[in-house]
Amino acid sequence: MAASSPREWAMAIGGGLALAAALVAILRPAPAAEPASPPPPPPAVAPQPLPPPPPVATAAAPADLALTGVRTGPDGGMAIIVAGGRTHRLTPGRSLPGGLRLLRTEPGRAILAGPAGEQVLAFPDAPQAAAGPALPPGGDPTPWRLALRRDAGGGWRLGSLDALPMLARAGLQPGDILLSANGQELLSEEKIIELPQELAANGALVLRYRRGTRAAQARITP
């Protein structure tokens, strides 16, 4: 066999290098794909303010008020009033639909209180009102009746003390429950009505009351 010439050797070497480069390109692993960037976050939405609550409907006082019966007495009396087509028997402190509250009774008339002030219902032949209501001995028991409500656990729960400042001065608070006065248990509404008379007669009341789980007493003076 004839010896290869230098040119042939060069061509053989060049072909081998090209083949090796092609094999390397084939066998080289493909570059890993770059991770896709996450989608942009949605634009922030400002919270919408809540709509205002609907106004609370309040019952209007009936327009067809009529007095059909009235009784006076040391217990505060009672009034029979027709309102809204219905008959209501009220004692002082009790209310009609719409919020009108019976304050007191007088011969031939009933005095109510509401947002617009006092309102008088009277029979056509009722006597003219005196300069001031005749008060029972010791004072008007109406503030006591309005401030006290019978408690389910016994006794009488105090509400607002605006009309009974002497109780506030003695340290009593709304929510206190009165149990007795001068040693006598307050078992009935008649006992509540007698409190201003007893206060005037004795010059003081020693009230035993309950506040939460604690019992205490306070001395009340006019």
Side-chain angles (χ1 to χ4, degrees), residues 49-159:
L50 295 176
V56 178
T58 57
D64 59 339
L65 294 176
L67 181 67
T68 60
V70 66
R71 176 177 63 79
T72 60
D75 63 347
M78 182 180 69
I80 302 175
I81 299 173
V82 174
R86 299 181 59 186
T87 300
H88 304 266
R89 290 173 171 82
L90 301 181
T91 54
R94 301 301 174 88
S95 298
L96 291 167
L100 282 176
R101 185 175 74 254
L102 179 64
L103 285 181
R104 63 184 183 273
T105 60
E106 298 174 0
R109 59 170 49 83
I111 292 82
L112 306 173
E118 291 192 3
Q119 181 175 348
V120 178
L121 294 180
F123 295 136
D125 57 349
Q128 293 294 322
L135 299 178
D140 187 1
T142 301
W144 294 83
R145 297 188 60 172
L146 295 179
L148 292 168
R149 291 288 182 271
R150 194 183 294 275
D151 187 74
W156 297 80
R157 184 177 295 274
L158 275 171

